[in-house]
Amino acid sequence: MPRRPSPAPAAPSRPVGNATRGTTNPNRLRRMDRWIAAEHGAELRRAADPVAVDLGYGAAPWTAVELLDRLRTVRPDARVVGVEIDPARVEAARPYGKPGLDFLHGGFEVPLPGARGRAPVLIRAANVLRQYDEDEVTAVWRRLCARLAPGGLLVEGTCDEIGRRHVWVALGPEGPRTVTFAARLGSLHTPSDLAERLPKALIHRNVPGEPVHAFLRDFDRAWAAAAPLGALGARQRWRAAVAALATDWPLAGDPRRRRQGEVTVRWEALAPRG
């Protein structure tokens, strides 16, 4: 009897999400990467499968390459998968692939090479949701958090074009945990300069009556009160302002990170009302 022809392979499903503008620059995400390595390093070291995802890396692969280098300072066998929804960007990035660094076509479904059901210990999504509507953010967060391995971390936020100013939200499988503000202090006029880099979940909430607006107002006041320390350098002024904030706001994370121009606040203190 003639052999029955094999069924045609199923067409790949369309990646979930929309293509971003793709803007990227070398070292743009260095502040975020260093915070991840410092604050999430213990989970990376414990992970059975230390794979991280650079979701929406953009028109060039630099941020994925740099993420691998920085994660390997805490876990030498860490792996990074760059995921892009634009297939042309994936093809352009593949020549930069190497052991431990892969590039795949995909979106918020977060594809990974290897065994089915594999889950990342880290997803970094920088400058991705900024181009979505605010009412879409929670569903995307839930989808990405559901892809995390136990103990995994989602870092989602926004920065300027050369990485001087960042704000990001850190989320675990249970949801949002903290918000981190980070800046090159020599370029900072007031802490509220960071408002333009608030992630999508918060940027439209920087108005009177919302917690994030009150936080930035108090930060500016503390910064102004610490002005005499500016003679000793912007870092000393920043640390004094952050110490003053700690009396009224639930700060989190390693206090030593504040020397790097960072301050981390519990999510529930800044979460949008309603």
Side-chain angles (χ1 to χ4, degrees):
M1 293 180 64
R3 192 166 62 181
R4 181 179 298 173
S6 300
S13 58
R14 182 181 182 276
V16 179
N18 303 310
T20 64
R21 289 189 295 270
T23 306
T24 188
N25 279 306
N27 266 329
R28 187 182 187 189
L29 303 182
R30 61 193 179 278
R31 299 180 194 281
M32 187 182 288
D33 289 352
R34 291 168 183 162
W35 181 89
I36 290 168
E39 294 286 347
H40 198 53
E43 292 293 346
L44 281 167
R45 285 188 286 269
R46 285 193 290 265
D49 183 13
V51 61
V53 170
D54 185 9
L55 182 62
Y57 57 83
W62 319 134
T63 60
V65 173
E66 292 162 355
L67 179 61
L68 178 65
D69 290 343
R70 289 167 185 147
L71 294 184
R72 284 189 167 178
T73 64
V74 295
R75 180 71 188 253
D77 61 341
R79 300 180 62 87
V80 168
V81 179
V83 174
E84 247 298 336
I85 201 166
D86 184 338
R89 294 174 187 171
V90 178
E91 290 305 311
R94 279 186 172 144
Y96 295 87
K98 58 184 179 180
L101 179 61
D102 298 294
F103 295 95
L104 294 180
H105 181 221
F108 296 141
E109 75 281 7
V110 191
L112 289 179
R116 184 179 179 85
R118 192 180 186 196
V121 70
L122 168 72
I123 299 173
R124 185 190 64 187
N127 304 300
V128 173
L129 294 188
R130 187 70 176 269
Q131 298 173 50
Y132 285 73
D133 292 334
E134 181 184 0
D135 60 7
E136 297 178 277
V137 171
T138 299
V140 173
W141 278 359
R142 287 174 179 161
R143 183 172 194 131
L144 295 179
C145 287
R147 285 287 289 122
L148 291 171
L153 187 74
L154 165 64
V155 180
E156 186 274 308
T158 306
C159 68
D160 67 1
E161 288 73 11
I162 57 174
R164 294 173 303 174
R165 298 173 184 173
H166 289 240
V167 187
W168 61 81
V169 182
L171 305 94
E174 78 287 356
R177 296 172 177 172
T178 60
V179 184
T180 297
F181 299 78
R184 181 180 182 273
L185 296 179
S187 69
L188 197 68
H189 177 60
T190 61
S192 61
D193 291 347
L194 287 160
E196 64 184 16
R197 298 301 163 185
L198 287 167
K200 178 59 74 171
L202 295 173
I203 193 165
H204 300 301
R205 303 302 183 123
N206 185 28
V207 294
E210 287 284 348
V212 70
H213 182 271
F215 174 78
L216 290 171
R217 178 204 63 205
D218 288 356
F219 206 169
D220 278 356
R221 289 174 178 171
W223 179 257
L229 289 173
L232 302 176
R235 180 176 294 178
Q236 296 300 322
R237 185 179 181 183
W238 174 270
R239 293 177 68 191
V242 171
L245 275 179
T247 62
D248 296 309
W249 293 90
L251 304 189
D254 187 343
R256 292 173 295 182
R257 300 295 306 168
R258 299 169 193 170
R259 291 178 50 85
Q260 309 303 319
E262 295 174 6
V263 60
T264 298
V265 190
R266 299 298 306 174
W267 165 258
E268 56 268 22
L270 302 186
R273 289 185 173 163

